[in-house]
Amino acid sequence: MRPATDIHAIIDRVENGSADIDDVAALLDSDAEADIFPLYERAYAAKRRSVGNCVYFRALIEFSNRCGKNCLYCGIRSGMTELDRYTLGEADIMRMAHWADEARYGSLVLQSGERHDPEFVAMVERVVQRIKAETKLGITLSIGEQTRQTYARWRSAGAHRYLLRIETSNPELYRSLHPADHSFADRLACLNSLRATGYQVGTGVMIGLPGQSLEDLARDIFFFRDMDVDMIGMGPYIPHAGTPLGQAAPPIPDVARRLRLTLNMIAVTRLMLPDLNIAATTALQALAPRGREFGLQVGANVIMPNVTDTEYRDGYQLYDNKPCRDENAGQCRSCLERRIASVGETIGYDEWGDAPHARRRLTEGAPT
Ligand code: SAH
Ligand code: SF4
């Protein structure tokens, strides 16, 4: 166990920007109470100072499980030939969006597998235009890699935030998680295109991947800093038994270790990059029933309640035992209100909840 003064000295370096990879890796490795108490206390204090104790909701609509890609870890990859594929109709998406607006969620995320055909691109554009015209909701997209033209079209239609995880900032590890025709360089280029087309950009990684080291995770946080992103959505890797990676019986750390690593990643990211939005993802809850609340207590400030009709949830199992399969949007809302109040946080109803980092960038007139 490290003396507590050491932990505080490392946290000081993270907060003042002088920490190196070894410092960050040491913090990520924290597990003893004498280490995690100061780490979480100071991360929570940093959150209170920079973004307050208000949690923002992003209503998540998983509008299609059709995907042209074949990521080796994902339960809706194109290779899952047995899976019934669905794409919600525009009327259904609009009904869910109106529900979120009336529930005062402030913002929504449209997420799906990746497709590039003109009908799909036009459908997303129309839906974004309608949500913009008919509701007060902020609009985030999470629809994978697209051309710059497509990103620009959807941006003009009214979407203003986009989530595209880098999955891991280590190109070698990235290669081991994807088929040969999926490219790390393309993913990176997409993140740059998103910024250039005026989005607030979110990225993130999976934590506890086979072959992933503490140093990889430490480098991921430096990657977030260097990419100057506005939002982070990261969560534990959870094997899906029907996928090649899930079947490879990989030497990933156990559940307790992955939960600890995920919380430590949130805490250290908050300390290094205090003015970002950081999500407590549903995958955290898959590891521990109170996983998302823990996430809020160590620095996260965004939650993405699923508002997709429950009949589609089985078709969108990115990983095994995804929580809230049977809870409809209304049940989910009251359950979340209780959970958030239980950790002394409030909910930013009716607010878009942009990260201070993004607001500052925009008001300073820096390139968006
Ligand atoms: N197709 C889009 C959005 C849907 S997938 C895209 O890929 O960006 C959204 C995220 O789910 C991915 O970025 C990945 O990080 C996560 N995911 C997929 N399979 C997972 C698994 N087995 N465990 C944890 N997260 C997973
Ligand atoms: Fe498709 Fe996204 Fe899953 Fe990859 S992670 S297979 S792009 S849905």
Side-chain angles (χ1 to χ4, degrees):
M1 195 193 302
R2 208 174 297 109
T5 45
D6 268 13
I7 269 281
H8 282 290
I10 300 175
I11 295 172
D12 287 343
R13 289 200 288 279
V14 170
E15 287 202 290
N16 70 26
S18 65
D20 60 16
I21 299 282
D22 290 342
D23 282 335
V24 172
L27 282 187
L28 294 177
D29 202 19
S30 306
D31 199 27
E33 284 189 3
D35 291 339
I36 55 173
F37 280 8
L39 175 60
Y40 295 166
E41 207 170 76
R42 290 194 55 183
Y44 191 70
K47 165 179 153 171
R48 290 295 291 259
R49 276 197 307 276
S50 56
V51 296
N53 72 335
C54 186
V55 180
Y56 297 110
F57 280 172
R58 316 287 186 230
L60 177 64
I61 303 179
E62 296 166 337
F63 70 93
S64 175
N65 68 355
R66 289 181 199 283
C67 188
K69 296 190 91 175
N70 214 4
C71 308
L72 302 181
Y73 44 83
C74 177
I76 64 169
R77 63 199 295 270
S78 57
M80 302 286 284
T81 47
E82 307 285 281
L83 189 66
D84 283 337
R85 301 286 171 168
Y86 71 85
T87 301
L88 298 182
E90 290 176 40
D92 279 329
I93 301 176
M94 288 311 299
R95 177 173 47 75
M96 294 168 198
H98 281 293
W99 186 92
D101 195 30
E102 279 150 29
R104 304 177 49 217
Y105 276 17
S107 232
L108 60 63
V109 181
L110 294 176
Q111 188 180 81
S112 72
E114 196 176 299
R115 272 171 64 187
H116 309 113
D117 52 285
E119 295 75 24
F120 178 79
V121 172
M123 187 275 273
V124 172
E125 182 180 41
R126 272 194 313 275
V127 166
V128 170
Q129 283 166 340
R130 281 191 64 188
I131 294 171
K132 192 79 191 153
E134 297 175 27
T135 76
K136 311 176 290 302
L137 297 165
I139 304 170
T140 306
L141 300 179
S142 173
I143 313 183
E145 295 172 26
Q146 303 288 341
T147 62
R148 186 178 286 228
Q149 289 73 17
T150 297
Y151 286 145
R153 252 176 94 176
W154 292 343
R155 176 77 186 92
S156 304
H160 73 133
R161 296 189 286 236
Y162 203 105
L163 291 174
L164 183 70
R165 288 184 175 180
I166 191 72
E167 314 296 2
T168 168
S169 63
N170 176 342
E172 286 301 315
L173 183 57
Y174 188 95
R175 241 191 304 282
S176 76
L177 305 171
H178 296 94
D181 61 349
H182 294 30
S183 144
F184 181 83
D186 288 351
R187 195 110 185 140
L188 209 50
C190 282
L191 284 170
N192 287 322
S193 279
L194 285 165
R195 169 57 72 82
T197 39
Y199 287 91
Q200 293 174 32
V201 180
T203 194
V205 295
M206 286 181 285
I207 298 159
L209 288 161
Q212 188 180 44
S213 66
L214 277 175
E215 190 184 319
D216 288 328
L217 291 169
R219 287 185 192 283
D220 289 341
I221 299 179
F222 284 94
F223 174 87
F224 303 154
R225 183 196 67 185
D226 296 344
M227 292 298 287
D228 199 25
V229 292
D230 302 300
M231 321 174 281
I232 303 292
M234 56 190 167
Y237 162 63
I238 302 178
H240 184 299
T243 62
L245 202 66
Q247 285 161 1
I252 49 171
D254 63 16
V255 167
R257 175 75 175 155
R258 262 180 296 150
L259 180 62
R260 173 69 61 221
L261 276 176
T262 305
L263 295 176
N264 292 359
M265 280 290 282
I266 292 174
V268 179
T269 303
R270 175 60 73 196
L271 286 163
M272 194 188 288
L273 305 166
D275 60 356
L276 267 55
N277 276 347
I278 303 178
T281 56
T282 311
L284 252 179
Q285 198 190 346
L287 294 192
R290 289 177 56 79
R292 283 187 304 190
E293 292 90 294
F294 296 155
L296 297 177
Q297 288 173 303
V298 304
N301 68 325
V302 167
I303 284 193
M304 295 161 64
N306 197 337
V307 304
T308 319
D309 286 351
T310 45
E311 65 185 285
Y312 298 108
R313 304 274 175 103
D314 280 349
Y316 207 87
Q317 294 296 304
L318 301 175
Y319 45 84
D320 286 336
N321 302 318
K322 200 162 160 237
C324 304
R325 270 163 108 136
D326 313 318
E327 275 182 30
N328 66 33
Q331 289 163 322
C332 200
R333 180 178 195 240
S334 45
C335 154
L336 270 172
E337 279 179 344
R338 271 197 317 278
R339 286 166 177 269
I340 288 166
S342 78
V343 292
E345 303 262 295
T346 59
I347 299 167
Y349 282 122
D350 279 330
E351 292 184 55
W352 281 12
D354 290 331
H357 183 265
R359 288 203 299 269
R360 186 156 33 253
R361 208 159 41 74
L362 297 174
T363 51
E364 281 169 1
T368 57

